[in-house]
Amino acid sequence: MSNALEITNLKARLGDLEILKGINITVPFGEVHALMGPNGSGKSTLTHVLMGNDAYEASGSALVGGIEVMGLPVFERARSGLFEAFQYPTEVPGVSLDDLTVEMIDVADDPSAARTRAEDASQFLGMDRFMDRAINTSLSGGEKKRSEMFQLAVAGPKAAILDEIDSGLDVDAVREVATMVESLRSPSLGVLVITHYSRILRYMNPDRVHVMVDGRVVESGGPEIAERLESEGYAAVR
Amino acid sequence: MSHFDQAVSTTAGVNDPAWRSTARSTAFGMFSDDAMPTQDDEIWRYVDLDFVMDDYRPSAGATVDLGDDPLAAHIPNPTVVRVVDGLFVGEDSFAEGFTVMSLDRAAAERSDMVEVALDRSGISADGDIFKAASAAFGGDGVFVHAARGIVAPSVVAIDIQAGSNGTASFPHVVIAAEEHADVSVVVHLRSHVDTEALIVPQFSIAVGDGARISLSLVQNVGYGVRSIGSLHAEIGSDALFRFGEIGLGGRLARLHLDVGLEGRGSAANVVGAYFGEQDQILDYRYFMRHVGTNTRSDMFLKGAVEDDARSVFTGMIRIEESGQKTEAYQTNRNLILSDGASAQSVPNLEILANDVKCGHGSTVGPLDLEQKYYLMSRGLSPDSADRLQVRGFFEEALGKLPHPELATPVREWINRKYETAQAEGRV
Ligand SMILES: Nc1ncnc2c1ncn2[C@@H]1O[C@H](COP(=O)(O)OP(=O)(O)O)[C@@H](O)[C@H]1O
Ligand SMILES: [Mg+2]
């Protein structure tokens, strides 16, 4: 049986700068994993390389639901079932979330199912007042994350990577986002939650935690790793 | 022998009252002395006028009829009038204190009213050969007048149809709102797609104290038409002039805007959106003169060019010594969608007063790659992502139009131009 996400020996460089030095991570369907690591360890780079950002020179394999996505253009990776929630969601002036939702529904495998997901998520996340506003423009940090979660729901991916979904949020908002992530759990989805702090993991139950330092996964294990990092810091794994 | 001789000028002025007759013959003198402007003239610097007046002949009467104006269909209960080949066609319309009539007829029958309006905001014939030609050979168009305190009962939708093949026409729209009056006008400038003609539209706008005039101009002529337009507005105390221009058509489409904020507390909001393709040249010369104290102006234009099209925005905010406590802003943003396309954006400030707030912004660049990446990460194809971004780019300008009801058709026209360019592989 295929996994939601299976990353094998993924490497990436920017010119002379080697950022990812052979990453291996597998997220089975139905599971939520956390990827932790200090700033600059390469977490966002991993996200962008998986999504197909052509700024990086990449090699290795990434299977989404068993389908190789490396080498595909960005939109084909999205349509293969990969979703990236951005650490810093891009502002798209003059384009409302509603406009984008219409386009996303249009390209979905099953548009009527996507429409239903959009309606449900809009209600669940209380999106009404965001739909007419330009994407990520003059939204608070928490509103941007909510918008990313909404788009995730509309896309209905097989594998979702949430990059620092908790950054820049106050405690209440972190708890709220954690609840949203837990609500995503489904047998047809695997989630990789990227975080710098273990804070958000207090409100979630990750099945596994991976620790990345300097472009390598140095440790993978149960949630107890997050607890250890919280008390001892990244010094413990370096 | 020229197609534009004294006899033609005299014929055009057959209904002129004395003051207009005099002005016409003076203008004819200027026209005869004027040469075609060259790019050495600063004000024509970016435009190569590769033709002469005699490439065209004066229009000999209204012959084109393009059918009902699709733009007017978006305006609730408009008063519709038509100007074809420079001549007013149809019925004059009168309501309590509100007049919409043929300019030629108005000049004869309401001579004083027209003379006063043109004294204030007429376009000087000594500006250049086109302005002289308009005064010498034009004469008709539309006269819109609201008496003191009158709120016009409906939007005036003026459908200006440009020329039979090979003709030059000189439609003139004069809009006068007396003290505390309120007037709203939409002009649609159009032609057959394959018409080859010259059109020299003129707009004279007199906004009385405490009055408001809202004017939208949608320029939609075919790619064989040269349109060389001028607009002159004079704005009284605590009065407001709102102007929006949509530039879609024309092989050469120029608009020379000259707005005088004369009265204390007068204000002007100017917005524009333009989209050029093929080898179109869109040339905007916008001048804003702050004369009164506490005056306010905002110019905001967004444009895109693809294929081999070129756009020019030259904005000038001039604040006279008397223009203390002025606030003036100009913004011009341009998208370059093909390698062969280009945009010049030249904002200027000339400030002679010391207590003012001014700002300007100007950008020229391609579509944003980060936005594209973000949209594609949502499964949108590269073409859809670009299309959405182009659409979004114009929204800010469309949101400021003096007539919000025009946003829908304008958005569709712009999107269609871009989608066609995508389909034909030009962008
Ligand atoms: N576009 C870029 N330009 C220059 N350096 C980059 C770029 N992207 C990433 N890096 C470098 O790669 C390393 C990893 O960065 P990043 O993936 O953002 O780490 P993280 O998300 O874990 O904080 C850092 O040293 C960072 O400076
Ligand atoms: Mg990061």
Side-chain angles (χ1 to χ4, degrees):
Chain A
M1 225 210 62
S2 65
N3 290 298
L5 180 63
E6 198 172 323
I7 305 167
T8 312
N9 197 25
L10 191 72
K11 295 181 180 172
R13 53 167 59 246
L14 250 181
D16 286 342
L17 181 67
E18 197 181 358
I19 305 176
L20 302 181
K21 300 167 182 170
I23 303 289
N24 299 292
I25 295 174
T26 295
V27 184
F29 278 111
E31 295 194 1
V32 174
H33 288 200
L35 174 64
M36 303 184 64
N39 270 332
S41 56
K43 304 183 300 294
S44 290
T45 301
L46 173 66
T47 316
H48 290 314
V49 165
L50 288 172
M51 201 69 236
N53 188 321
D54 59 12
Y56 305 88
E57 212 179 301
S59 65
S61 162
L63 304 181
V64 173
I67 296 166
E68 180 63 64
V69 296
M70 296 304 284
L72 294 180
V74 177
F75 72 104
E76 296 283 9
R77 297 187 194 205
R79 291 182 193 182
S80 301
L82 182 64
F83 185 89
E84 168 183 3
F86 284 55
Q87 177 172 2
Y88 303 108
T90 312
E91 293 185 6
V92 190
V95 178
S96 70
L97 187 53
D98 196 43
D99 295 333
L100 176 58
T101 305
V102 168
E103 300 275 346
M104 289 177 70
I105 290 172
D106 222 39
V107 299
D109 281 344
D110 179 349
S112 86
R115 188 167 304 111
T116 306
R117 286 197 300 270
E119 281 158 11
D120 292 350
S122 170
Q123 200 163 23
F124 178 72
L125 297 170
M127 295 305 294
D128 272 359
R129 66 207 155 89
F130 298 105
M131 296 309 289
D132 288 337
R133 285 161 60 178
I135 299 163
N136 301 321
T137 305
S138 56
L139 297 185
S140 74
E143 289 168 340
K144 286 183 189 170
K145 305 293 177 183
R146 188 183 292 259
S147 165
E148 294 288 286
M149 298 302 281
F150 169 75
Q151 292 173 53
L152 190 163
V154 178
K158 298 187 177 102
I161 304 172
L162 314 183
D163 192 6
E164 306 260 0
I165 192 84
D166 53 337
S167 70
L169 301 186
D170 63 30
V171 179
D172 288 339
V174 167
R175 192 181 295 136
E176 202 178 323
V177 166
T179 311
M180 288 183 215
V181 174
E182 280 296 339
S183 76
L184 290 173
R185 260 185 206 278
S186 111
S188 55
L189 173 68
V191 179
L192 186 62
V193 177
I194 293 179
T195 181
H196 172 71
Y197 302 105
S198 46
R199 194 173 58 159
I200 191 171
L201 303 180
R202 280 182 231 156
Y203 311 106
M204 293 174 43
N205 302 300
D207 298 286
R208 279 182 84 75
V209 175
H210 310 272
V211 181
M212 184 162 161
V213 176
D214 193 21
R216 287 194 174 85
V217 175
V218 294
E219 199 169 350
S220 289
E224 70 283 353
I225 292 182
E227 287 157 28
R228 209 180 76 229
L229 285 178
E230 185 163 16
S231 54
E232 298 173 26
Y234 286 107
V237 291
R238 269 186 220 263
Chain B
M1 220 202 73
S2 172
H3 295 137
F4 296 88
D5 61 14
Q6 182 95 52
V8 174
S9 175
T10 308
T11 310
V14 66
N15 299 323
D16 283 350
W19 60 267
R20 211 177 191 211
S21 197
T22 310
R24 186 182 295 279
S25 63
T26 309
F28 180 78
M30 291 170 180
F31 172 78
S32 311
D33 294 343
D34 276 338
M36 213 61 170
T38 69
Q39 288 178 273
D40 295 337
D41 297 335
E42 164 54 33
I43 194 161
W44 291 93
R45 180 165 160 197
Y46 298 100
V47 182
D48 177 17
L49 293 171
D50 53 351
F51 69 100
V52 293
M53 286 298 292
D54 266 318
D55 292 347
Y56 300 95
R57 57 179 197 287
S59 64
T63 53
V64 190
D65 186 355
L66 300 173
D68 284 346
D69 180 2
L71 198 61
H74 293 270
I75 303 166
N77 302 312
T79 300
V80 179
V81 297
R82 212 180 303 167
V83 178
V84 178
D85 280 347
L87 299 174
F88 184 96
V89 184
E91 302 284 302
D92 296 336
S93 141
F94 305 98
E96 170 93 48
F98 186 59
T99 305
V100 179
M101 64 189 293
S102 145
L103 177 62
D104 190 50
R105 222 160 17 241
E109 293 169 15
R110 303 184 175 211
S111 176
D112 291 352
M113 251 186 197
V114 176
E115 189 179 11
V116 168
L118 289 180
D119 267 352
R120 203 144 168 245
S121 64
I123 291 164
S124 171
D126 65 5
D128 58 47
I129 193 171
F130 303 104
K131 291 168 183 167
S134 174
F137 303 103
D140 206 2
V142 186
F143 180 61
V144 179
H145 180 271
R148 187 189 171 118
I150 293 292
V151 176
S154 61
V155 175
V156 181
I158 304 178
D159 175 14
I160 300 184
Q161 301 182 11
S164 314
N165 258 326
T167 63
S169 61
F170 306 93
H172 191 170
V173 174
V174 179
I175 308 172
E178 304 217 348
E179 282 171 49
H180 300 287
D182 192 335
V183 176
S184 174
V185 177
V186 172
V187 175
H188 193 191
L189 196 60
R190 58 188 185 128
S191 76
H192 273 301
V193 286
D194 50 2
T195 296
E196 309 241 343
L198 171 66
I199 183 165
V200 182
Q202 308 238 300
F203 302 88
S204 301
I205 315 292
V207 195
D209 292 349
R212 291 164 60 121
I213 292 181
S214 299
L215 172 63
S216 292
L217 169 60
V218 179
Q219 186 278 102
N220 223 343
V221 295
Y223 290 168
V225 174
R226 294 184 169 99
S227 171
I228 299 183
S230 302
L231 184 152
H232 178 195
E234 290 295 331
I235 308 173
S237 298
D238 299 314
L240 173 62
F241 176 47
R242 300 182 69 200
F243 176 66
E245 198 268 357
I246 306 296
L248 298 170
R251 67 190 276 186
L252 164 64
R254 173 180 166 101
L255 185 62
H256 178 189
L257 187 90
D258 174 18
V259 177
L261 293 149
E262 295 281 347
R264 181 193 184 97
S266 57
N269 288 334
V270 170
V271 60
Y274 48 92
F275 190 113
E277 62 183 359
Q278 299 188 9
D279 49 10
Q280 283 189 271
I281 298 173
L282 305 175
D283 182 23
Y284 295 100
R285 288 272 168 175
Y286 279 18
F287 291 76
M288 192 66 73
R289 291 176 288 110
H290 289 262
V291 181
T293 54
N294 283 96
T295 53
R296 203 160 44 72
S297 74
D298 189 18
M299 289 191 257
F300 186 92
L301 287 87
K302 282 197 157 188
V305 279
E306 41 105 346
D307 216 359
D308 293 321
R310 276 202 304 132
S311 69
V312 180
F313 169 76
T314 313
M316 165 66 86
I317 295 173
R318 183 180 159 95
I319 304 178
E320 304 292 347
E321 247 176 275
S322 54
Q324 298 293 5
K325 309 274 183 206
T326 283
E327 273 188 54
Y329 302 97
Q330 59 181 327
T331 307
N332 175 230
R333 309 220 176 275
N334 296 278
L335 272 183
I336 308 292
L337 300 169
S338 314
D339 291 342
S342 66
Q344 260 94 22
S345 180
V346 191
N348 297 289
L349 296 173
E350 226 175 86
I351 304 177
L352 307 178
N354 53 20
D355 182 13
V356 302
K357 271 194 218 160
C358 270
H360 60 90
S362 156
T363 52
V364 176
L367 286 170
D368 183 86
L369 287 175
E370 276 188 46
Q371 289 184 40
K372 183 170 184 166
Y373 172 62
Y374 185 81
L375 294 170
M376 291 193 303
S377 80
R378 272 45 179 154
L380 274 60
S381 68
D383 273 1
S384 300
D386 288 349
R387 192 159 35 72
L388 216 52
Q389 208 186 126
V390 168
R391 189 164 104 191
F393 172 80
F394 282 105
E395 280 305 310
E396 206 180 354
L398 299 186
K400 293 175 190 266
L401 288 177
H403 297 89
E405 61 268 39
L406 300 183
T408 302
V410 167
R411 185 184 293 119
E412 272 171 31
W413 276 321
I414 290 177
N415 291 348
R416 202 177 310 144
K417 276 184 95 161
Y418 185 66
E419 279 170 38
T420 306
Q422 281 189 325
E424 294 175 0
R426 296 197 301 265
V427 291

